């Protein structure tokens, strides 16, 4: 519809090459991760320091692939800030892995859309593929031991009961 055209969400999903389990990974609900081991993450902080998932072990995480030109990504940023506040006592962190953009563009975006999580860069644009994410945004819920528990392709309503239930289970694990 008009809203999908405005946000670009329908086109992004419709024309992407989708893995066979893509349908189950979208649709507004977080779906169980059935792909075994957690993929490796190789990214950089905004100041150029290389990081991996090991740098974040011990805390529950949401790993989110995003870009400044992605309308649904923009809409999710305030929700991630709310979730980090809501689960701050459990140490929830959100890792926002930017897909291929220059740091200057990201900084400009963050002035307009504040984000309190960790902004990571994937200038090589290899990480989305490594995680089998084929559209922006894609989110992964990772427990404190570093294992992906749930994932979702596309925008999600993080205030919805199902998402809150799974987040509560994640932070309590």
């Amino acid at each position: 519809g008009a809203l999908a055209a405005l946000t670009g969400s329908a086109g992004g999903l419709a024309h992407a090459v989708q893995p066979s389990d893509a349908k189950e990974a979208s649709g507004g609900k977080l779906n169980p991760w059935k792909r075994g081991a957690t993929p490796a993450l190789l990214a950089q902080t905004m100041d150029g320091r290389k990081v991996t998932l090991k740098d974040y072990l011990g805390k529950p995480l949401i790993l989110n692939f995003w870009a400044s030109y992605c309308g649904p990504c923009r809409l999710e940023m305030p929700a991630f800030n709310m979730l980090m506040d809501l689960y701050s006592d459990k140490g929830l962190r959100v890792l926002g892995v930017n897909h291929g953009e220059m740091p200057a563009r990201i900084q400009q975006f963050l002035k307009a859309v504040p984000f309190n999580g960790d902004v990571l860069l994937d200038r090589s644009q290899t990480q989305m593929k490594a995680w089998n994410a084929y559209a922006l945004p894609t989110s992964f819920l990772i427990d404190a031991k570093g294992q992906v528990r749930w994932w979702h392709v596309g925008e999600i309503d993080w205030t919805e009961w199902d998402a809150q239930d799974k987040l509560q289970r994640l932070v309590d694990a």
Side-chain angles (χ1 to χ4, degrees), residues 41 53 56 61-64 93-97 115 118 120:
L41 177 70
L53 270 185
Y56 299 96
L61 300 172
I62 298 172
L63 177 71
N64 174 263
R93 292 176 75 174
V94 179
L95 307 182
V97 181
F115 172 61
D118 294 37
L120 301 178

Side-chain angles (χ1 to χ4, degrees), residues 33-52:
W33 176 257
K34 297 176 182 169
R35 295 171 173 259
T38 301
L41 177 70
L42 303 167
Q44 285 188 353
T45 60
M46 288 288 281
D47 59 10
R49 192 170 43 89
K50 291 188 186 319
V51 292
T52 69

Side-chain angles (χ1 to χ4, degrees), residues 78-94 116 158-160 163-165 167-168 171-172:
F80 290 140
N81 291 337
M82 183 242 351
L83 294 175
M84 285 181 285
D85 287 346
L86 192 62
Y87 296 106
S88 62
D89 61 325
K90 305 283 189 173
L92 178 69
R93 292 176 75 174
V94 179
N116 302 330
W158 292 97
T159 64
E160 191 265 331
Q164 285 295 310
D165 175 60
L167 276 163
Q168 191 64 56
V171 300
D172 288 342

Side-chain angles (χ1 to χ4, degrees), residues 141-157:
L141 271 63
I142 303 169
D143 66 24
K145 295 180 195 89
Q147 177 60 46
V148 177
R149 302 277 298 277
W150 294 279
W151 70 309
H152 185 268
V153 176
E155 183 183 1
I156 191 167
D157 179 356

Side-chain angles (χ1 to χ4, degrees), residues 78-139:
F80 290 140
N81 291 337
M82 183 242 351
L83 294 175
M84 285 181 285
D85 287 346
L86 192 62
Y87 296 106
S88 62
D89 61 325
K90 305 283 189 173
L92 178 69
R93 292 176 75 174
V94 179
L95 307 182
V97 181
N98 180 273
H99 183 64
E101 294 183 282
M102 298 291 285
R105 181 183 299 256
I106 296 166
Q107 285 167 333
Q108 186 178 9
F109 171 83
L110 294 173
K111 283 181 187 150
V113 184
F115 172 61
N116 302 330
D118 294 37
V119 176
L120 301 178
L121 307 176
D122 176 25
R123 295 278 300 124
S124 65
Q125 299 187 10
T126 57
Q127 295 305 293
M128 271 185 65
K129 188 173 183 190
W131 283 73
N132 287 298
Y134 60 88
L136 295 170
T138 296
S139 296

